[in-house]
Amino acid sequence: MRSDAMKKGIEKAPHRSLFKALGYVDRELELPLIGVVNSHNEIVPGHMHLNDIAEAVKAGVRLAGGTPIEFPAIAVCDGIAMNHTGMKYSLASRELIADSIEVMAQAHPFDGLVLIPSCDKIVPGMLMAAARLNIPAIVVSGGPMLAGRHNGQQLSLSNLFEAVGKVYAGSMTEEELHEVEESACPGCGSCAGMFTANSMNCLTEALGMALPGNGTIPAVSAARRRLAKMAGMQIMKLVQEDICPSDIMTREAFNNGLAVDMALGCSTNTVLHLPAIATEAGVEINLDLVNMTSERTPNLCKLSPAGPFFMQDLDEAGGIPAVMAELSQKGLINLEARTVTGTVGDNLSGKIVFRRDVIRSVEDPYSSSGGIAVLRGNLAPDGAVVKKSAVAPEMLKHSGPARVFESEEEAVQAITEKKINKGDVIVIRYEGPKGGPGMREMLTPTATVAGLGMDKDVALLTDGRFSGATRGASIGHISPEAAEGGTIAIIREGDIIEIDIPNNSLNVVLSQAEISARLKEWQSPEPRIKKGYLARYARHVTSASTGAIIRD
């Protein structure tokens, strides 16, 4: 056992003494030691109940003959961090999570790990650590939040962000906004739509690193606690058979994950996280592969914000196994890929779709191609990303004048002061991984535009990123970013931007000679943050086109 390095032999008597100071007895130390990584805290709704999940996991480990040992991981609430400096730290926290788990699991060599995330960056951070450490590991998330209800309608956090825009538009009063505020988020769990957290928890299941149901079983359900117990038991089988993440997170697994991503219409942030996880697993995912997968994968689901359904609806419809079983009918899923329980084929045996309103047939999809598109052109030579399944048909092709802003705050001020006109293309730059720094997620400007009723008239572009809760012609991850001298840095007010999502293109109507001349005049701005973790992060982070990973 790996844990023998810290507990077995005469020379480890001091080590065993320290374990006994923790209350462990000899029999517990003779068993496999399982690290239980719990990202519970009291600031993230998706994480506030994770102590319950951790207790269920530990019960499962003990039932299967192991000794669970819990340690923590940090978690940022993207909703609470939104539209202020705090959001600069969200994506950057992904690397800290991976690094801290590596530190704990190397300093204390566990025989296996159960990883308990829930929200946005915690899921990929934990998967990156699992791939890097390559010891038996399994993920069990805290599960999605139930949708809220207001005036007989289901809603979630994204509706509340859009409601702010309605107040600015005069179509909602502040009193009505307060009523929605009271109803949108009814309890624990990751916010109820196909936003980044739920996207990543569903894709963890598709990658084979979690039990079926991980992405969709509601947080409040007893089934979620049972799932956690089963994950605790299953890690013991993985330890006994020495099945490691490298056996599971293969090229075939990532291909399956991308296919599910496109079928579900997941958050554009998955295009940051899947490549980052794959890099740790020794598998390359680039934007060309994302587009190739999108071109051949039908979009089967329209979950909030793209449509009227929520995660509880997807769970009722059969969850990720039902989506994968549907995709397998077109040969889009590798059934031989390994999972924490066997093969994908084993998991999909007998799985059917229970609600065709939620999961469409591959013969009757929303579109023949997937929910995410990668755009290229002179404005984004290295790529940009859009959740095309959430774009109004009339905005799939759009040409309009640039309205240029040097930060999210400047753009939001102009939007709320109604200085944006129909047809405009809002350009928000210096919000990329280096320039932000931290590549802020920007739900406020996109939701405010939607709340003002302009989501079918106005496009938004950024070298930062947009939330999984964003809808409309919101194109992010423009690479190279402004801080690295990308074309977006030299766009001027009034320049005409041409967007053609069906043909995967994004251009500014300028000659290459004009672009080159402007770039010669361009000067890199002073860093916005000059000390601390974000300053170090900005020096080492790579482009969004490569997953915004850290390189030495």
Side-chain angles (χ1 to χ4, degrees):
M1 291 190 290
R2 291 175 176 84
S3 61
D4 285 349
M6 62 178 172
K7 69 182 186 183
K8 191 172 183 180
I10 294 173
E11 71 278 9
K12 296 303 188 298
H15 305 61
R16 292 192 296 273
S17 180
L18 290 169
F19 275 107
K20 289 173 180 178
L22 294 164
Y24 292 100
V25 300
D26 287 333
R27 176 56 183 154
E28 289 177 293
L29 298 182
E30 291 166 3
L31 300 173
L33 303 185
I34 306 300
V36 177
V37 190
N38 182 3
S39 55
H40 164 268
N41 64 37
E42 295 182 347
I43 189 87
V44 187
H47 292 240
M48 67 177 179
H49 63 302
L50 293 190
N51 282 343
D52 291 345
I53 302 300
E55 288 303 316
V57 165
K58 290 188 283 187
V61 170
R62 293 188 184 102
L63 282 169
T67 297
I69 301 176
E70 183 179 334
F71 65 90
I74 64 170
V76 170
C77 180
D78 278 23
I80 295 174
M82 197 73 67
N83 69 35
H84 58 85
T85 299
M87 181 49 78
K88 295 177 184 289
Y89 288 85
S90 178
L91 179 61
S93 74
R94 186 186 70 182
E95 319 308 313
L96 282 177
I97 291 163
D99 290 351
S100 64
I101 294 171
E102 174 196 355
V103 166
M104 289 296 289
Q106 293 286 31
H108 318 98
F110 297 105
D111 297 299
L113 293 175
V114 181
L115 304 160
I116 309 175
S118 195
C119 293
D120 301 49
K121 310 311 164 296
I122 301 87
V123 184
M126 288 188 171
L127 285 170
M128 290 165 68
R132 187 185 305 173
L133 291 163
N134 201 33
I135 63 175
I138 190 170
V139 174
V140 57
S141 80
M145 186 184 293
L146 294 177
R149 292 191 70 83
H150 181 69
N151 289 339
Q153 299 293 317
Q154 288 188 322
L155 73 166
S156 70
L157 185 68
S158 65
N159 300 97
L160 192 55
F161 274 92
E162 292 184 11
V164 173
K166 292 179 180 180
V167 172
Y168 283 116
S171 60
M172 178 181 282
T173 67
E174 289 191 41
E175 290 74 19
E176 290 171 323
L177 176 66
H178 182 73
E179 290 177 13
V180 177
E181 176 187 326
E182 293 281 331
S183 307
C185 299
C188 66
S190 45
C191 296
M194 188 54 77
F195 313 146
T196 305
N198 291 324
S199 294
M200 288 308 303
N201 283 316
C202 289
L203 296 187
T204 300
E205 192 177 327
L207 288 173
M209 285 297 293
L211 296 174
N214 178 72
T216 60
I217 295 174
V220 295
S221 171
R224 176 60 58 176
R225 277 74 183 161
R226 295 196 297 271
L227 187 77
K229 284 185 182 178
M230 289 188 286
M233 291 186 278
Q234 193 63 30
I235 188 61
M236 296 306 298
K237 292 183 180 179
L238 297 174
V239 168
Q240 289 157 12
E241 298 175 24
D242 198 30
I243 297 172
C244 297
S246 61
D247 301 311
I248 297 170
M249 287 196 281
T250 60
R251 162 64 64 191
E252 292 74 23
F254 283 100
N255 287 342
N256 285 347
L258 283 171
V260 173
D261 192 349
M262 300 307 156
L264 291 174
C266 287
S267 164
T268 53
N269 285 316
T270 60
V271 183
L272 286 174
H273 298 322
L274 286 178
I277 298 163
T279 297
E280 295 286 358
V283 177
E284 182 186 356
I285 291 180
N286 56 39
L287 295 184
D288 292 329
L289 177 62
V290 173
N291 250 358
M292 286 172 53
T293 305
S294 183
E295 287 169 6
R296 66 172 182 257
T297 307
N299 178 214
L300 305 182
C301 303
K302 279 195 179 289
L303 298 152
S304 177
F309 303 111
F310 294 85
M311 295 305 296
Q312 64 212 62
D313 299 306
L314 181 59
D315 191 56
E316 289 177 9
I320 303 308
V323 173
M324 295 180 76
E326 191 66 33
L327 291 174
S328 70
Q329 294 182 28
K330 287 194 70 173
L332 295 168
I333 295 295
N334 186 312
L335 299 176
E336 301 303 316
R338 196 166 199 170
T339 75
V340 290
T341 53
T343 67
V344 171
D346 295 332
N347 289 349
L348 302 190
S349 179
K351 300 300 181 184
I352 61 171
V353 176
F354 293 104
R355 286 184 57 182
R356 280 293 179 196
D357 58 332
V358 179
I359 304 173
R360 285 196 174 185
S361 162
V362 289
E363 304 302 328
D364 181 34
Y366 286 102
S367 67
S368 60
S369 58
I372 292 176
V374 175
L375 314 183
R376 294 185 190 272
N378 65 6
L379 184 46
D382 293 343
V385 182
V386 63
K387 188 172 184 173
K388 69 176 182 180
S389 61
V391 179
E394 49 266 65
M395 288 299 292
L396 290 170
K397 290 187 177 183
H398 180 75
S399 178
R403 302 294 306 279
V404 182
F405 303 97
E406 309 300 324
S407 69
E408 177 186 10
E409 287 84 355
E410 285 186 17
V412 169
Q413 182 176 351
I415 295 166
T416 56
E417 292 177 356
K418 301 180 183 178
K419 294 180 179 178
I420 302 300
N421 303 309
K422 289 185 176 182
D424 285 351
V425 178
I426 299 168
V427 178
I428 308 173
R429 62 190 178 195
Y430 295 106
E431 290 287 6
K434 287 184 180 294
M439 201 179 185
R440 279 196 288 187
E441 184 174 278
M442 292 181 280
L443 178 55
T444 296
T446 60
T448 305
V449 165
L452 287 167
M454 299 179 70
D455 55 298
K456 296 180 180 180
D457 303 295
V458 171
L460 297 95
L461 311 181
T462 185
D463 53 4
R465 59 197 178 93
F466 293 121
S467 169
T470 286
R471 62 185 176 95
S474 303
I475 300 167
H477 307 197
I478 290 176
S479 301
E481 63 174 289
E484 291 193 311
T487 307
I488 190 173
I490 54 86
I491 299 297
R492 293 175 184 169
E493 192 84 3
D495 286 345
I496 300 300
I497 307 293
E498 293 184 339
I499 299 165
D500 187 344
I501 295 173
N503 290 304
N504 302 97
S505 71
L506 178 63
N507 291 284
V508 56
V509 182
L510 295 173
S511 68
Q512 189 55 52
E514 175 64 16
I515 291 172
S516 298
R518 291 189 189 183
L519 284 172
K520 284 182 181 178
E521 298 174 1
W522 174 80
Q523 293 184 342
S524 178
E526 282 287 308
R528 287 172 169 168
I529 295 180
K530 300 180 181 180
K531 64 180 181 179
Y533 173 61
L534 272 185
R536 297 195 302 275
Y537 177 85
R539 288 195 294 270
H540 296 286
V541 69
T542 64
S543 167
S545 64
T546 57
I549 60 175
I550 295 292
R551 293 197 192 280
D552 293 334

